[in-house]
Amino acid sequence: MIRIAVANQKGGVGKTTTAINVATAIAATGRRVLIVDLDPQGNSSTGVGVDQNTRQRTSYDVLIGACSAADAVVPTAIPRLSLIASTVDLSGAEVELVEMEGRIHRLDTALQAPAMQAYDYIIIDCPPSLGILTMNAMVAAQSLLVPLQCEFFALEGLSQLLNTVERVRAGYNQRLNIVGVVLTMYDKRNRLSEQVAADVRAVLGKIVFETIIPRNVRLSEAPSHGLPALVYDHRCAGSEAYIDLSRELLGRTEPHARAA
């Protein structure tokens, strides 16, 4: 089982869009995939069509120990893709977990249960912060996927994220690595996007994925229909980019894998 946290403390960079579309693309290759929605906004849950009224057991319940991870899993309409949903209740976990034993290991412990070994990939969608929820994700994950928006302040705050990764690696999870940085919201008509992409590659080198995710209206429309873009319009530029990104990701996490 490969666990990947999708994280960046900056909001609006495409974390959820990346999480649900990468998960969908990997599931399309025949692998069993689970999304863990660890954001109180619950956008990943909405984005794969799981209605608020059906979210009876959630990631909040898993973290506080009210149910097992397996009991919180719900199917989605996408073959081989399942979900542990989120609701606004999760915002309270930031406070409640402070008093709990092993507060940053709770997700890791829950995902180690034998029933969870049925999944080939677990994709954890993190909130836009470096708080206790994101720390839980980093402790539970083997790899970190970082979406980075092609804008002027793209690298601002990245050093803080990298420092947090180093602290987690040193103190809690030695196996944690950054599997890659993906450039998102690239506008080929805007010279700034091109310059930012070049600057990011100059600073970070090969850690940056070759695939760039463009600004694409179909990517923005898809969540309102409760669908990943790959299902909503698999031929749009955004969907094609996420398919390419998923191939790269499989190549980095499974060196001998062949993406279907």
Side-chain angles (χ1 to χ4, degrees):
M1 180 218 296
I2 296 170
R3 303 183 202 163
I4 300 172
V6 182
N8 188 330
Q9 76 271 26
K10 194 170 183 181
V13 300
K15 286 188 298 295
T16 295
T17 300
T18 297
I20 63 177
N21 284 291
V22 164
T24 300
I26 294 175
T29 69
R31 295 163 175 85
R32 291 194 63 191
V33 183
L34 174 69
I35 297 174
V36 178
D37 191 345
L38 216 61
D39 187 342
Q41 297 177 86
N43 290 336
S44 280
S45 306
T46 302
V48 294
V50 176
D51 187 81
Q52 284 270 3
N53 296 326
T54 65
R55 303 176 198 176
Q56 297 180 350
R57 293 173 175 171
T58 67
S59 54
Y60 168 76
D61 297 302
V62 174
L63 288 174
I64 67 169
C67 75
S68 68
D71 286 341
V73 172
V74 294
T76 73
I78 300 156
R80 295 174 297 278
L81 180 62
S82 300
L83 170 77
I84 294 180
S86 167
T87 65
V88 70
D89 290 345
L90 188 59
S91 59
E94 292 275 4
V95 176
E96 293 179 51
L97 288 174
V98 170
E99 304 297 327
M100 292 186 176
E101 184 178 349
R103 58 185 178 272
I104 66 170
H105 295 274
R106 298 185 73 85
L107 181 62
D108 183 40
T109 300
L111 295 181
Q112 287 185 34
M116 305 311 292
Q117 304 308 309
Y119 297 99
D120 300 302
Y121 278 82
I122 295 180
I123 308 293
I124 308 167
D125 184 23
C126 298
S129 73
L130 292 177
I132 199 165
L133 295 176
T134 299
M135 290 289 286
N136 261 272
M138 288 187 181
V139 170
Q142 294 124 343
S143 299
L144 191 69
L145 173 58
V146 183
L148 200 64
Q149 186 178 358
C150 290
E151 63 166 21
F152 184 73
F153 294 111
L155 290 170
E156 187 176 278
L158 185 62
S159 60
Q160 183 182 1
L161 176 63
L162 298 179
N163 287 337
T164 300
V165 170
E166 287 304 318
R167 289 201 303 274
V168 171
R169 186 183 288 142
Y172 308 105
N173 182 8
Q174 293 181 355
R175 65 188 174 178
L176 183 65
N177 70 87
I178 298 177
V179 69
V181 173
V182 57
L183 295 165
T184 62
M185 303 181 185
Y186 181 87
D187 187 348
K188 63 182 179 182
R189 301 167 299 177
N190 187 337
R191 291 185 63 185
L192 177 61
S193 287
E194 184 178 346
Q195 184 60 54
V196 168
D199 289 347
V200 170
R201 292 191 189 281
V203 172
L204 300 178
K206 291 183 178 180
I207 198 173
V208 184
F209 286 103
E210 288 296 321
T211 302
I212 294 178
I213 309 301
R215 282 195 179 275
N216 181 244
V217 67
R218 306 299 269 178
L219 288 179
S220 302
E221 290 173 354
S224 66
H225 296 271
L227 294 170
L230 270 72
V231 177
Y232 180 63
D233 183 355
H234 72 278
R235 294 183 177 177
C236 74
S239 292
E240 290 179 349
Y242 274 117
I243 291 169
D244 290 342
L245 174 63
S246 298
R247 288 196 184 104
E248 279 197 77
L249 182 61
L250 288 170
R252 293 188 184 193
T253 55
E254 303 174 26
H256 304 294
R258 291 184 179 179

